[in-house]
Every structure is written in structure tokens, then in C-alpha cells.
Coordinates of all heavy atoms in Angstrom, one line a residue:
M1387 N 103.5 -2.8 272.4 CA 103.9 -1.6 271.6 C 103.1 -1.5 270.3 O 102.5 -2.5 269.8 CB 105.4 -1.7 271.1 CG 106.4 -1.6 272.3 SD 106.2 0.1 273.0 CE 107.1 -0.1 274.5
G1388 N 103.0 -0.4 269.7 CA 102.2 -0.2 268.5 C 100.8 0.3 268.8 O 100.3 1.1 268.0
V1389 N 100.3 -0.1 270.0 CA 99.0 0.4 270.4 C 99.2 1.8 271.1 O 99.9 1.8 272.1 CB 98.3 -0.6 271.3 CG1 96.9 -0.1 271.7 CG2 98.1 -1.9 270.6
E1390 N 98.5 2.8 270.6 CA 98.7 4.1 271.2 C 98.2 4.2 272.6 O 98.8 4.8 273.4 CB 98.0 5.1 270.2 CG 98.7 5.3 268.9 CD 99.4 6.6 268.8 OE1 99.0 7.6 269.4 OE2 100.5 6.6 268.1
H1391 N 97.0 3.7 272.7 CA 96.4 3.8 274.0 C 95.5 2.6 274.3 O 94.8 2.2 273.4 CB 95.5 5.1 274.2 CG 94.5 5.2 273.2 ND1 93.2 4.9 273.4 CD2 94.5 5.6 271.9 CE1 92.4 5.1 272.3 NE2 93.2 5.5 271.4
V1392 N 95.5 2.0 275.4 CA 94.6 0.9 275.8 C 93.9 1.4 277.0 O 94.4 1.2 278.1 CB 95.4 -0.4 276.0 CG1 94.4 -1.5 276.4 CG2 96.2 -0.8 274.8
P1393 N 92.8 2.1 276.8 CA 92.2 2.7 278.0 C 91.6 1.9 279.0 O 91.4 2.3 280.2 CB 91.1 3.6 277.3 CG 90.8 3.0 276.0 CD 92.0 2.2 275.6
Y1394 N 91.2 0.7 278.7 CA 90.5 -0.1 279.7 C 91.1 -1.5 279.9 O 91.7 -2.1 279.1 CB 89.0 -0.4 279.2 CG 88.2 0.8 278.9 CD1 87.8 1.1 277.7 CD2 87.9 1.7 280.0 CE1 87.0 2.2 277.4 CE2 87.1 2.8 279.7 CZ 86.7 3.1 278.4 OH 86.0 4.2 278.2
K1395 N 91.0 -1.9 281.2 CA 91.4 -3.3 281.6 C 90.2 -3.8 282.3 O 89.7 -3.2 283.3 CB 92.6 -3.2 282.4 CG 93.2 -4.6 282.8 CD 94.5 -4.4 283.5 CE 95.3 -5.7 283.5 NZ 94.7 -6.8 284.3
C1396 N 89.7 -5.0 281.9 CA 88.5 -5.6 282.5 C 88.8 -6.0 284.0 O 89.8 -6.7 284.2 CB 88.0 -6.8 281.7 SG 86.6 -7.5 282.4
S1397 N 88.0 -5.6 284.9 CA 88.2 -5.9 286.3 C 87.9 -7.4 286.5 O 88.3 -7.9 287.6 CB 87.2 -5.1 287.2 OG 87.3 -3.7 286.9
V1398 N 87.2 -8.0 285.6 CA 86.8 -9.4 285.9 C 87.7 -10.4 285.2 O 88.3 -11.2 285.9 CB 85.3 -9.7 285.3 CG1 85.0 -11.1 285.4 CG2 84.3 -8.8 286.1
C1399 N 88.0 -10.2 283.9 CA 88.8 -11.2 283.2 C 90.2 -10.7 283.0 O 91.1 -11.5 282.5 CB 88.2 -11.7 281.9 SG 88.0 -10.4 280.7
G1400 N 90.4 -9.4 283.2 CA 91.8 -8.9 283.1 C 92.2 -8.5 281.7 O 93.3 -8.0 281.4
K1401 N 91.3 -8.7 280.7 CA 91.5 -8.4 279.3 C 91.6 -6.9 279.1 O 90.8 -6.2 279.7 CB 90.4 -9.0 278.5 CG 90.6 -9.0 277.0 CD 89.6 -9.9 276.3 CE 88.2 -9.4 276.3 NZ 87.2 -10.3 275.8
T1402 N 92.5 -6.4 278.3 CA 92.5 -5.0 277.9 C 91.7 -4.9 276.6 O 91.7 -5.7 275.7 CB 93.9 -4.5 277.7 OG1 94.6 -5.4 276.8 CG2 94.7 -4.4 279.0
F1403 N 91.0 -3.8 276.6 CA 90.1 -3.5 275.4 C 90.0 -2.1 275.2 O 90.2 -1.2 276.0 CB 88.8 -4.2 275.6 CG 88.0 -3.7 276.8 CD1 87.0 -2.9 276.7 CD2 88.4 -4.2 278.1 CE1 86.3 -2.4 277.8 CE2 87.7 -3.7 279.2 CZ 86.7 -2.8 279.1
E1404 N 89.5 -1.7 273.9 CA 89.5 -0.4 273.5 C 88.2 0.4 273.8 O 88.2 1.6 274.1 CB 89.7 -0.3 272.0 CG 91.1 -0.7 271.5 CD 92.1 0.5 271.8 OE1 91.6 1.6 271.9 OE2 93.3 0.2 271.8
G1405 N 87.1 -0.3 273.7 CA 85.8 0.4 273.9 C 84.7 -0.5 274.3 O 84.9 -1.7 274.4
G1406 N 83.5 0.1 274.6 CA 82.4 -0.7 274.9 C 82.4 -1.2 276.4 O 81.8 -2.2 276.7
A1407 N 83.1 -0.4 277.2 CA 83.1 -0.7 278.6 C 81.8 -0.5 279.3 O 81.1 0.4 279.0 CB 84.2 0.1 279.3
L1408 N 81.5 -1.4 280.3 CA 80.4 -1.2 281.2 C 81.0 -0.9 282.5 O 81.7 -1.7 283.1 CB 79.5 -2.4 281.2 CG 78.3 -2.3 282.2 CD1 77.3 -1.3 281.8 CD2 77.7 -3.7 282.4
I1409 N 80.7 0.3 283.1 CA 81.3 0.6 284.4 C 80.2 0.5 285.4 O 79.2 1.3 285.3 CB 81.9 2.0 284.3 CG1 83.1 2.0 283.4 CG2 82.4 2.4 285.7 CD1 83.7 3.4 283.0
V1410 N 80.3 -0.4 286.3 CA 79.3 -0.6 287.3 C 79.8 -1.1 288.6 O 80.8 -1.9 288.6 CB 78.2 -1.6 286.7 CG1 78.8 -3.0 286.4 CG2 77.0 -1.8 287.6
G1411 N 79.3 -0.6 289.7 CA 79.7 -1.0 291.0 C 81.2 -1.0 291.2 O 81.8 -1.8 291.9
G1412 N 81.9 0.1 290.7 CA 83.3 0.2 290.9 C 84.2 -0.7 290.0 O 85.4 -0.7 290.2
K1413 N 83.6 -1.4 289.1 CA 84.3 -2.3 288.2 C 84.2 -1.8 286.8 O 83.2 -1.2 286.4 CB 83.8 -3.7 288.3 CG 84.0 -4.4 289.6 CD 83.4 -5.8 289.6 CE 83.2 -6.4 290.9 NZ 84.4 -6.8 291.6
I1414 N 85.2 -2.2 286.0 CA 85.1 -1.9 284.5 C 85.0 -3.3 283.9 O 85.8 -4.2 284.1 CB 86.4 -1.2 284.0 CG1 86.6 0.1 284.7 CG2 86.3 -1.1 282.5 CD1 87.9 0.8 284.5
L1415 N 83.9 -3.5 283.1 CA 83.7 -4.8 282.5 C 83.9 -4.6 281.0 O 83.5 -3.7 280.3 CB 82.3 -5.3 282.7 CG 81.8 -5.4 284.1 CD1 80.4 -6.2 284.1 CD2 82.7 -6.1 285.0
C1416 N 84.7 -5.6 280.4 CA 84.9 -5.6 278.9 C 83.5 -6.0 278.3 O 82.6 -6.5 279.0 CB 86.0 -6.6 278.6 SG 85.5 -8.3 278.8
P1417 N 83.4 -5.9 277.0 CA 82.1 -6.2 276.3 C 81.7 -7.6 276.6 O 80.5 -7.9 276.7 CB 82.4 -5.9 274.8 CG 83.5 -4.9 274.8 CD 84.3 -5.2 276.0
D1418 N 82.6 -8.6 276.7 CA 82.2 -10.0 276.9 C 81.6 -10.1 278.3 O 80.6 -10.8 278.5 CB 83.4 -10.9 276.7 CG 83.9 -10.9 275.3 OD1 83.1 -10.7 274.4 OD2 85.1 -11.2 275.1
C1419 N 82.3 -9.6 279.3 CA 81.8 -9.7 280.7 C 80.5 -8.9 280.8 O 79.6 -9.3 281.6 CB 82.9 -9.3 281.7 SG 84.3 -10.4 281.6
A1420 N 80.5 -7.8 280.2 CA 79.3 -6.9 280.2 C 78.1 -7.7 279.7 O 77.0 -7.5 280.2 CB 79.5 -5.6 279.5
R1421 N 78.3 -8.5 278.6 CA 77.2 -9.2 278.1 C 76.7 -10.3 279.1 O 75.5 -10.4 279.2 CB 77.7 -9.9 276.8 CG 76.6 -10.6 276.0 CD 77.1 -11.0 274.6 NE 78.4 -11.7 274.7 CZ 78.6 -13.0 275.1 NH1 77.5 -13.7 275.4 NH2 79.8 -13.5 275.1
I1422 N 77.6 -10.9 279.8 CA 77.2 -11.9 280.8 C 76.4 -11.1 281.9 O 75.3 -11.6 282.3 CB 78.4 -12.6 281.4 CG1 79.1 -13.4 280.3 CG2 78.0 -13.5 282.6 CD1 80.5 -13.9 280.8
Y1423 N 76.9 -10.0 282.3 CA 76.3 -9.2 283.3 C 74.8 -8.8 282.9 O 73.9 -9.0 283.7 CB 77.1 -7.9 283.5 CG 76.6 -7.0 284.6 CD1 77.0 -7.0 285.9 CD2 75.7 -6.0 284.2 CE1 76.5 -6.2 286.9 CE2 75.2 -5.1 285.2 CZ 75.6 -5.2 286.5 OH 75.1 -4.3 287.4
E1424 N 74.7 -8.3 281.7 CA 73.4 -7.8 281.2 C 72.4 -9.0 281.0 O 71.2 -8.9 281.2 CB 73.5 -7.1 279.9 CG 74.2 -5.7 280.0 CD 73.4 -4.7 280.8 OE1 72.2 -5.0 281.0 OE2 73.9 -3.7 281.2
E1425 N 73.0 -10.2 280.6 CA 72.1 -11.3 280.4 C 71.5 -11.8 281.7 O 70.3 -12.2 281.7 CB 73.0 -12.5 279.8 CG 72.9 -12.5 278.3 CD 73.8 -13.5 277.6 OE1 74.3 -14.5 278.3 OE2 74.1 -13.4 276.4
I1426 N 72.3 -11.8 282.8 CA 71.7 -12.2 284.1 C 70.6 -11.2 284.4 O 69.5 -11.7 284.8 CB 72.8 -12.1 285.2 CG1 73.9 -13.1 284.9 CG2 72.2 -12.3 286.5 CD1 75.2 -12.9 285.7
I1427 N 70.8 -9.9 284.3 CA 69.7 -9.0 284.6 C 68.5 -9.1 283.7 O 67.4 -9.2 284.2 CB 70.3 -7.5 284.6 CG1 71.3 -7.4 285.8 CG2 69.1 -6.5 284.7 CD1 71.9 -6.0 285.9
D1428 N 68.8 -9.2 282.4 CA 67.7 -9.3 281.4 C 66.8 -10.6 281.7 O 65.6 -10.5 281.6 CB 68.2 -9.4 280.0 CG 68.7 -8.0 279.5 OD1 68.4 -7.0 280.2 OD2 69.3 -7.9 278.5
E1429 N 67.5 -11.7 281.9 CA 66.8 -13.0 282.1 C 65.9 -12.9 283.3 O 64.7 -13.3 283.3 CB 67.8 -14.1 282.3 CG 68.1 -14.8 280.9 CD 69.0 -16.0 281.0 OE1 68.8 -16.8 282.0 OE2 69.9 -16.1 280.2
C1430 N 66.5 -12.4 284.4 CA 65.7 -12.4 285.7 C 64.6 -11.3 285.6 O 63.5 -11.5 286.1 CB 66.6 -12.1 286.9 SG 67.7 -13.5 287.2
L1431 N 64.9 -10.2 284.9 CA 63.9 -9.1 284.7 C 62.7 -9.7 283.9 O 61.6 -9.5 284.2 CB 64.6 -8.0 284.0 CG 63.8 -6.6 283.9 CD1 63.5 -6.1 285.3 CD2 64.7 -5.6 283.2
A1432 N 63.1 -10.4 282.8 CA 62.0 -10.9 281.9 C 61.2 -11.9 282.7 O 59.9 -11.9 282.6 CB 62.7 -11.6 280.7
E1433 N 61.9 -12.8 283.5 CA 61.1 -13.8 284.2 C 60.2 -13.1 285.2 O 59.0 -13.5 285.4 CB 62.1 -14.7 284.9 CG 61.5 -15.9 285.5 CD 62.5 -16.7 286.3 OE1 63.5 -17.2 285.7 OE2 62.3 -16.9 287.6
A1434 N 60.7 -12.1 285.9 CA 59.9 -11.4 286.9 C 58.7 -10.7 286.2 O 57.6 -10.8 286.8 CB 60.7 -10.3 287.6
L1435 N 58.9 -10.1 285.1 CA 57.8 -9.4 284.4 C 56.7 -10.4 283.9 O 55.6 -10.2 284.1 CB 58.3 -8.6 283.2 CG 59.1 -7.3 283.6 CD1 59.8 -6.7 282.4 CD2 58.2 -6.3 284.2
E1436 N 57.2 -11.5 283.4 CA 56.3 -12.6 283.0 C 55.4 -13.0 284.1 O 54.2 -13.2 284.0 CB 57.1 -13.7 282.4 CG 56.2 -14.7 281.6 CD 57.0 -15.7 280.9 OE1 58.1 -16.0 281.3 OE2 56.5 -16.3 279.9
K1437 N 56.1 -13.2 285.3 CA 55.3 -13.7 286.4 C 54.3 -12.7 286.9 O 53.1 -13.0 287.3 CB 56.2 -14.0 287.6 CG 56.9 -15.4 287.4 CD 57.7 -15.8 288.6 CE 58.3 -17.2 288.4 NZ 59.2 -17.6 289.4
M1438 N 54.7 -11.4 286.8 CA 53.8 -10.3 287.3 C 52.6 -10.3 286.4 O 51.5 -10.1 286.8 CB 54.6 -9.0 287.3 CG 55.5 -8.9 288.5 SD 56.7 -7.6 288.2 CE 55.7 -6.2 288.4
I1439 N 52.8 -10.4 285.0 CA 51.7 -10.4 284.1 C 50.8 -11.5 284.3 O 49.6 -11.4 284.2 CB 52.3 -10.4 282.6 CG1 53.0 -9.1 282.3 CG2 51.2 -10.7 281.6 CD1 53.9 -9.1 281.1
N1440 N 51.3 -12.7 284.7 CA 50.5 -13.8 285.0 C 49.9 -13.9 286.4 O 49.3 -14.8 286.8 CB 51.3 -15.1 284.7 CG 51.6 -15.3 283.2 OD1 50.9 -14.8 282.4 ND2 52.8 -15.9 283.0
G1441 N 50.2 -12.8 287.1 CA 49.7 -12.8 288.5 C 50.4 -13.7 289.5 O 49.8 -14.1 290.5
E1442 N 51.6 -14.2 289.1 CA 52.3 -15.1 290.0 C 53.3 -14.3 290.9 O 53.6 -13.2 290.7 CB 53.2 -16.1 289.2 CG 52.3 -17.1 288.4 CD 53.2 -17.8 287.4 OE1 54.3 -18.2 287.8 OE2 52.8 -18.0 286.2
K1443 N 53.7 -15.0 292.0 CA 54.6 -14.4 292.9 C 56.0 -14.3 292.3 O 56.5 -15.2 291.7 CB 54.6 -15.2 294.2 CG 55.3 -14.5 295.4 CD 55.0 -15.3 296.7 CE 55.6 -14.6 297.9 NZ 56.9 -15.2 298.2
V1444 N 56.6 -13.1 292.4 CA 57.9 -12.9 291.9 C 59.0 -13.1 292.9 O 58.9 -12.5 294.0 CB 58.1 -11.4 291.3 CG1 59.5 -11.2 290.9 CG2 57.1 -11.2 290.2
V1445 N 59.9 -14.0 292.6 CA 61.0 -14.3 293.6 C 62.3 -14.1 292.8 O 62.7 -15.0 292.1 CB 60.9 -15.7 294.2 CG1 62.0 -15.9 295.3 CG2 59.5 -15.9 294.8
V1446 N 62.9 -12.9 292.9 CA 64.1 -12.6 292.1 C 65.2 -13.5 292.6 O 66.1 -13.9 291.8 CB 64.4 -11.1 292.3 CG1 65.8 -10.8 291.6 CG2 63.3 -10.3 291.7
D1447 N 65.3 -13.8 293.9 CA 66.3 -14.7 294.4 C 66.5 -16.0 293.7 O 67.6 -16.5 293.5 CB 66.1 -14.9 295.9 CG 66.3 -13.7 296.7 OD1 65.4 -12.8 296.6 OD2 67.3 -13.5 297.4
Q1448 N 65.3 -16.6 293.4 CA 65.3 -17.9 292.7 C 66.1 -17.8 291.4 O 66.9 -18.6 291.1 CB 63.9 -18.3 292.4 CG 63.5 -19.6 293.1 CD 62.0 -19.7 293.1 OE1 61.3 -19.4 292.1 NE2 61.4 -20.2 294.2
C1449 N 65.8 -16.8 290.6 CA 66.4 -16.6 289.3 C 67.9 -16.4 289.5 O 68.8 -16.9 288.8 CB 65.8 -15.5 288.5 SG 66.5 -15.3 286.9
L1450 N 68.2 -15.6 290.5 CA 69.7 -15.2 290.7 C 70.4 -16.5 291.2 O 71.6 -16.6 290.8 CB 69.8 -14.1 291.8 CG 69.3 -12.8 291.3 CD1 69.4 -11.8 292.5 CD2 70.2 -12.2 290.2
D1451 N 69.8 -17.4 291.9 CA 70.4 -18.6 292.3 C 70.8 -19.5 291.1 O 71.8 -20.2 291.1 CB 69.5 -19.4 293.3 CG 69.5 -18.8 294.7 OD1 70.5 -18.0 295.0 OD2 68.6 -19.0 295.4
N1452 N 69.9 -19.4 290.1 CA 70.2 -20.1 288.8 C 71.5 -19.6 288.1 O 72.1 -20.3 287.3 CB 69.0 -20.0 287.8 CG 67.8 -20.7 288.4 OD1 67.9 -21.6 289.2 ND2 66.6 -20.4 287.9
H1453 N 71.8 -18.3 288.4 CA 73.0 -17.7 287.8 C 74.1 -17.6 288.8 O 75.0 -16.8 288.5 CB 72.6 -16.4 287.2 CG 71.6 -16.4 286.1 ND1 72.0 -16.7 284.8 CD2 70.3 -16.3 286.1 CE1 70.9 -16.7 284.0 NE2 69.9 -16.4 284.8
A1454 N 74.1 -18.3 289.9 CA 75.1 -18.2 290.9 C 76.5 -18.2 290.4 O 77.4 -17.5 290.9 CB 74.8 -19.2 292.0
N1455 N 76.8 -19.2 289.5 CA 78.1 -19.3 289.0 C 78.6 -18.1 288.3 O 79.7 -17.6 288.5 CB 78.2 -20.5 288.0 CG 78.1 -21.8 288.7 OD1 78.4 -21.9 290.0 ND2 77.8 -22.9 288.0
D1456 N 77.8 -17.5 287.4 CA 78.2 -16.3 286.6 C 78.3 -15.1 287.6 O 79.2 -14.3 287.4 CB 77.1 -16.0 285.5 CG 77.3 -16.9 284.3 OD1 78.4 -17.4 284.1 OD2 76.3 -17.1 283.6
I1457 N 77.4 -15.1 288.5 CA 77.4 -13.9 289.5 C 78.7 -13.9 290.2 O 79.4 -12.9 290.4 CB 76.2 -14.0 290.4 CG1 75.0 -13.6 289.6 CG2 76.4 -13.0 291.6 CD1 73.7 -13.8 290.4
S1458 N 79.2 -15.1 290.7 CA 80.4 -15.1 291.5 C 81.6 -15.0 290.6 O 82.6 -14.4 291.0 CB 80.5 -16.4 292.3 OG 80.7 -17.5 291.5
R1459 N 81.5 -15.4 289.3 CA 82.6 -15.2 288.4 C 82.8 -13.7 288.1 O 83.9 -13.3 287.9 CB 82.3 -16.0 287.1 CG 83.4 -16.0 286.1 CD 83.4 -17.3 285.2 NE 82.1 -17.4 284.5 CZ 81.9 -17.1 283.2 NH1 82.9 -16.6 282.6 NH2 80.8 -17.3 282.7
L1460 N 81.7 -13.0 288.0 CA 81.8 -11.6 287.8 C 82.3 -10.8 289.0 O 82.7 -9.7 288.9 CB 80.5 -11.0 287.3 CG 80.0 -11.5 285.9 CD1 78.6 -11.0 285.7 CD2 80.9 -10.9 284.8
G1461 N 82.2 -11.4 290.2 CA 82.7 -10.8 291.4 C 81.7 -9.8 292.0 O 82.1 -9.0 292.9
F1462 N 80.5 -10.0 291.7 CA 79.4 -9.1 292.3 C 78.7 -10.0 293.3 O 78.7 -11.2 293.2 CB 78.4 -8.6 291.3 CG 79.0 -7.5 290.3 CD1 79.5 -7.9 289.1 CD2 79.1 -6.2 290.7 CE1 80.0 -6.9 288.3 CE2 79.6 -5.3 289.9 CZ 80.1 -5.6 288.7
S1463 N 78.0 -9.3 294.3 CA 77.2 -10.0 295.2 C 75.8 -10.2 294.6 O 75.4 -9.5 293.6 CB 77.1 -9.2 296.5 OG 76.4 -8.0 296.2
K1464 N 75.1 -11.2 295.1 CA 73.8 -11.4 294.7 C 72.9 -10.2 294.9 O 72.0 -9.9 294.1 CB 73.2 -12.6 295.5 CG 71.9 -13.2 295.0 CD 71.6 -14.5 295.7 CE 70.1 -14.6 295.9 NZ 69.8 -15.8 296.8
S1465 N 73.2 -9.5 296.1 CA 72.4 -8.3 296.4 C 72.5 -7.2 295.3 O 71.6 -6.5 295.1 CB 72.8 -7.7 297.7 OG 72.8 -8.7 298.7
H1466 N 73.7 -7.2 294.8 CA 74.0 -6.2 293.7 C 73.0 -6.4 292.6 O 72.4 -5.4 292.1 CB 75.4 -6.2 293.2 CG 75.7 -5.4 292.0 ND1 76.2 -4.1 292.1 CD2 75.6 -5.7 290.7 CE1 76.3 -3.6 290.9 NE2 75.9 -4.5 290.0
F1467 N 72.9 -7.6 292.1 CA 72.0 -7.9 291.0 C 70.6 -7.8 291.4 O 69.8 -7.3 290.6 CB 72.3 -9.4 290.5 CG 73.5 -9.5 289.6 CD1 74.7 -9.8 290.1 CD2 73.3 -9.2 288.3 CE1 75.8 -9.9 289.2 CE2 74.4 -9.2 287.4 CZ 75.6 -9.6 287.9
K1468 N 70.3 -8.1 292.6 CA 68.9 -8.0 293.1 C 68.5 -6.6 293.1 O 67.4 -6.2 292.6 CB 68.7 -8.6 294.5 CG 67.3 -8.7 294.9 CD 67.2 -9.4 296.3 CE 65.7 -9.6 296.7 NZ 65.5 -10.3 297.9
A1469 N 69.3 -5.7 293.6 CA 69.0 -4.3 293.6 C 68.9 -3.7 292.1 O 68.0 -2.9 291.9 CB 70.1 -3.5 294.3
A1470 N 69.8 -4.2 291.3 CA 69.7 -3.7 289.9 C 68.4 -4.1 289.2 O 67.8 -3.4 288.5 CB 70.9 -4.3 289.1
I1471 N 68.0 -5.4 289.5 CA 66.8 -5.9 288.8 C 65.6 -5.2 289.4 O 64.7 -4.8 288.7 CB 66.7 -7.4 289.1 CG1 67.8 -8.1 288.2 CG2 65.3 -7.9 288.7 CD1 68.1 -9.5 288.7
L1472 N 65.6 -5.1 290.8 CA 64.4 -4.4 291.4 C 64.3 -2.9 291.0 O 63.2 -2.4 290.8 CB 64.5 -4.5 292.9 CG 64.3 -6.0 293.5 CD1 64.5 -6.0 295.0 CD2 63.0 -6.5 293.1
S1473 N 65.4 -2.3 290.8 CA 65.3 -0.9 290.4 C 64.8 -0.7 289.0 O 64.1 0.2 288.7 CB 66.7 -0.1 290.6 OG 67.6 -0.6 289.7
R1474 N 65.2 -1.7 288.1 CA 64.6 -1.7 286.8 C 63.1 -2.0 286.8 O 62.4 -1.5 286.0 CB 65.4 -2.6 285.8 CG 66.8 -2.1 285.6 CD 67.4 -2.9 284.4 NE 68.9 -2.7 284.5 CZ 69.7 -3.1 283.5 NH1 69.3 -3.7 282.5 NH2 71.0 -2.9 283.7
L1475 N 62.8 -3.0 287.6 CA 61.4 -3.3 287.7 C 60.5 -2.1 288.2 O 59.5 -1.9 287.7 CB 61.2 -4.5 288.8 CG 61.3 -5.9 288.3 CD1 61.1 -6.8 289.5 CD2 60.3 -6.2 287.2
A1476 N 61.1 -1.4 289.2 CA 60.4 -0.3 289.7 C 60.1 0.8 288.7 O 59.1 1.5 288.7 CB 61.2 0.4 290.9
R1477 N 61.0 0.9 287.7 CA 60.9 1.8 286.6 C 59.7 1.5 285.7 O 59.1 2.4 285.1 CB 62.2 1.9 285.8 CG 62.9 3.2 286.0 CD 64.2 3.2 285.1 NE 65.3 2.7 285.8 CZ 66.4 2.2 285.2 NH1 66.5 2.2 283.9 NH2 67.4 1.8 285.9
V1478 N 59.4 0.2 285.5 CA 58.4 -0.2 284.6 C 57.0 -0.3 285.3 O 56.0 -0.5 284.7 CB 58.7 -1.5 283.8 CG1 59.9 -1.2 283.0 CG2 58.8 -2.7 284.7
L1479 N 57.0 -0.4 286.6 CA 55.8 -0.5 287.4 C 55.0 0.8 287.4 O 55.6 1.8 287.6 CB 56.1 -1.0 288.8 CG 56.6 -2.4 289.0 CD1 56.8 -2.7 290.5 CD2 55.5 -3.4 288.4
P1480 N 53.7 0.7 287.4 CA 52.9 1.9 287.7 C 53.1 2.3 289.2 O 53.3 1.4 290.0 CB 51.5 1.5 287.4 CG 51.5 0.0 287.5 CD 52.8 -0.5 287.2
R1481 N 53.0 3.5 289.4 CA 53.2 4.0 290.8 C 52.0 3.5 291.7 O 50.9 3.6 291.3 CB 53.3 5.5 290.9 CG 54.5 6.0 290.1 CD 55.2 7.0 290.9 NE 56.4 7.5 290.2 CZ 57.7 7.1 290.5 NH1 57.9 6.4 291.6 NH2 58.7 7.5 289.8
Q1482 N 52.4 2.9 292.8 CA 51.3 2.3 293.6 C 51.1 3.0 294.9 O 50.2 2.8 295.6 CB 51.5 0.8 293.8 CG 51.3 0.0 292.6 CD 51.7 -1.5 292.7 OE1 52.6 -1.8 293.5 NE2 51.1 -2.3 292.0
V1483 N 52.1 3.9 295.3 CA 52.0 4.6 296.5 C 51.6 6.0 296.4 O 51.1 6.5 295.5 CB 53.3 4.5 297.3 CG1 53.4 3.2 298.1 CG2 54.5 4.8 296.4
Ligands
ZN653 ZN1 86.1 -9.2 280.9

């Protein structure tokens, strides 16, 4: 009581919160869970870009395996993250086809 409206409930941790929701893959993430989500993507994206700049082979799966615990805690599949990372990579790559 006292709270007029609590518009969001985190799909991952169950916390209710007022704003800063990340809505992705049919889930609503609170700012804390969203930060974990974004960190996984940012880290693997940065690693992939660094490898590409150095002319090394990019293996997104390897990076995702390092975050396996967080990925399963958030309740997403590894493929979900892989697709998210690859689609962001595709945006920064020069068109090759
Ligand atoms: Zn949460």
C-alpha cells in the first residue's frame, strides 16, 4: 500500500520496480538483471571485435560458455545471446556481400 502503481515485475528475480525495464525475448528485466544481461553481450562483443581487429578467429560460443552461469540464471538460451551478439556485430561490420 502507499505505492500508486508498480508497473513492472522482473521476470528473472521477481523484484518489482518502477522504471528502467529492459524488455527482451518476452521477458521484463529489472535494471539489475538488465545490467547482467548487457554485460554479457558487451563483454563478448568487445572480445569479438578485438579478435577481428587482430585478425584472429572469432568464436562467440567460447565467450558465452564463460558466462554460462549468468546466462542460465537469466533464463535465456545461449542461442539467444549468440544471435544478439552476432546481430550487433553485423551492424558494425562493413558490408561484404
Ligand atoms: Zn531482476
